[in-house]
Amino acid sequence: MNVIPSSGSLHPAEIPFQEPAARPAFYPASEFEGMAVPSREWLVRDLVPSGTVTLLGGDGGTGKSLLALQLACAVAAGGEWLGYQVAGGGALFISAEDDDAELHRRLAAVVQSSGLMFNDLDRLTICSLAGKDALLARLDRATGGLSPSPLFDELEKRLEDEKPVLLVLDTLADLFPGNENDRAQARQFVGLLRGLAIRHGCAVILLSHPSLSGLNSGSGTSGSTAWNNSVRSRLYLEREIQQDYEPNPDARVLSTKKANYGRTGGEIRLTWRDGVFVADPAETGLDRMAASARAERVFLKLLRTFAEQGRTVNSAGGSNYAPKQFAEHPDSEGVTKRAFKTAMETLLAAGKVKIEAKGPPSKRVTYIAEAGQ
């Protein structure tokens, strides 16, 4: 199996890590004496760890299935995905949503855009379960317990035979038989999938849809918090919406919502082009400086406009929250609420704006004012 190792190691590389063949459930930590610390193995560094489960969420029609299929092709062909080097090897893509014809169309777009041929994807195995029983577990409604289904056993055998480094499961709603709000059932199901990942040394990516609250909040979560807590990595694909308006229907953002083995909060901006997603060019330091300067300039301009109109805005939140009010203003120049928030914090730290208060103690109101005014 070709994996991407971690860059650091605490012990000399020449000391091989050896997993005891029959280690008991309980053992003294001293057994690790003299062993090299195993490096972290990644399918995609900092995004998709090997040997465990990653949850990839996204609203219906956002493109998460296509994005996962592009990853599977990159793994099978030994290429890159969104500019990231991936571990090469076999890939198994199971779709319970798309039929063979749709998978063929999507693969054709991926092949054409990447300069590949279908013959280059001999290590990618496709399985469509659209319209079929796709449950990977059976639910005992009396106890709430989950057990592997015949399909799960068949999948286990396939993994044993093919030894892929990636397994994609699309989607949770079709594969999971229980109640997404049930914490115990969620943990059991992720546990079943993690067992597959550990036994076969592969990365498992489970696709899912967010709930309405997860969609509105931008968290991308759905059902019990156990889904987020049980997986080691969670990615979320969403459209770029500004003040309930989508300026570019082809733009997407892939964000890291959880990363047990790395940093959270990272974002990759993508654009759908010619049937596939392409990573946008990385923003340079000069670009960020120019954008920040513009946001600060517009923030001050609108603060003065509001002051001239006798209107106040605050830094604490609510209906008069400055970033919200300014982002919705016709003269916002396209600056987003998030950018205005950053600009506000920068201006406060620099002393260019300040927090003032007015009114009697019982009805004290705080607001933002330009320094020196």
Side-chain angles (χ1 to χ4, degrees):
M1 179 178 66
N2 179 22
V3 296
I4 300 177
S6 173
S7 57
S9 177
L10 299 179
H11 292 264
E14 61 268 17
I15 305 176
F17 177 80
Q18 296 178 343
E19 184 71 30
R23 174 175 286 159
F26 298 91
Y27 56 90
S30 57
E31 282 198 12
F32 291 128
E33 180 66 32
M35 291 185 181
V37 176
S39 61
R40 179 77 61 200
E41 296 179 350
W42 297 92
L43 185 83
V44 185
R45 186 180 298 281
D46 299 330
L47 293 177
V48 184
S50 296
T52 191
V53 182
T54 293
L55 198 63
L56 172 56
D59 193 21
T62 306
K64 59 186 179 297
S65 298
L66 172 61
L67 193 64
L69 189 59
Q70 287 183 233
L71 174 57
C73 290
V75 168
E80 293 187 346
W81 179 67
L82 308 180
Y84 284 76
Q85 183 63 47
V86 303
L92 177 55
F93 189 99
I94 297 180
S95 174
E97 289 198 327
D98 297 317
D99 58 22
D100 291 316
E102 180 58 29
L103 291 171
H104 188 176
R105 284 189 287 268
R106 291 184 177 181
L107 278 170
V110 176
V111 166
Q112 182 175 3
S113 68
S114 55
L116 298 172
M117 298 181 64
F118 277 106
N119 286 338
D120 297 319
L121 301 179
D122 59 327
R123 293 194 294 178
L124 171 58
T125 299
I126 300 292
C127 176
S128 172
L129 297 175
K132 303 175 184 177
D133 181 2
L135 295 178
L136 289 178
R138 292 286 183 247
L139 172 65
D140 185 330
R141 299 196 179 278
T143 65
L146 296 179
S147 59
S149 69
L151 178 61
F152 184 95
D153 295 335
E154 183 181 346
L155 175 59
E156 179 107 52
K157 181 63 167 58
R158 176 69 64 173
L159 292 173
E160 178 63 32
D161 292 341
E162 297 191 10
K163 297 178 172 52
V165 298
L166 170 64
L167 169 63
V168 177
L169 299 171
D170 185 15
T171 64
L172 171 64
D174 299 291
L175 307 171
F176 174 63
N179 179 356
E180 286 192 32
N181 294 306
D182 189 302
R183 179 184 298 271
Q185 292 177 11
R187 292 192 68 87
Q188 286 182 72
F189 190 69
V190 173
L192 286 174
L193 300 183
R194 183 179 295 121
L196 285 177
I198 293 173
R199 287 191 296 275
H200 301 286
C202 64
V204 175
I205 297 184
L206 177 62
L207 277 58
S208 69
H209 297 100
S211 64
L212 183 59
S213 61
L215 185 64
N216 290 336
S217 67
S219 68
T221 56
S222 177
S224 168
T225 55
W227 294 107
N228 178 74
N229 295 338
S230 299
V231 298
R232 302 298 88 187
S233 175
R234 185 167 69 85
L235 308 175
Y236 185 51
L237 182 67
E238 59 187 323
R239 297 176 180 275
E240 288 203 87
I241 306 296
Q242 299 178 10
Q243 294 84 54
D244 299 323
Y245 171 68
E246 186 176 16
N248 181 3
D250 294 331
R252 302 287 189 276
V253 177
L254 180 66
S255 54
T256 307
K257 296 297 186 181
K258 179 184 179 180
N260 278 45
Y261 311 137
R263 291 183 176 180
T264 60
E267 293 184 346
I268 304 174
R269 280 178 161 69
L270 314 171
T271 300
W272 185 85
R273 187 178 301 131
D274 297 327
V276 298
F277 286 111
V278 179
D280 295 346
E283 188 180 58
T284 67
L286 289 176
D287 292 333
R288 286 191 293 272
M289 290 175 60
S292 297
R294 181 167 70 101
E296 293 170 24
R297 174 183 60 78
V298 179
F299 187 99
L300 290 172
K301 178 189 73 173
L302 290 174
L303 186 62
R304 295 177 191 126
T305 299
F306 274 52
E308 291 169 359
Q309 296 171 347
R311 303 162 63 187
T312 60
V313 290
N314 66 58
S315 62
S319 60
N320 289 329
Y321 185 48
K324 176 180 182 295
Q325 288 287 331
F326 292 171
E328 295 175 352
H329 196 276
D331 294 333
S332 66
E333 298 185 25
V335 179
T336 65
K337 177 180 174 182
R338 179 183 299 180
F340 274 131
K341 181 179 184 300
T342 301
M344 178 180 70
E345 297 296 341
T346 301
L347 291 169
L348 283 168
K352 295 182 179 180
V353 298
K354 58 186 177 179
I355 306 296
E356 294 193 344
K358 64 180 179 180
S362 59
K363 295 182 179 180
R364 204 74 167 165
V365 175
T366 60
Y367 62 97
I368 301 176
E370 190 172 0
Q373 299 297 317

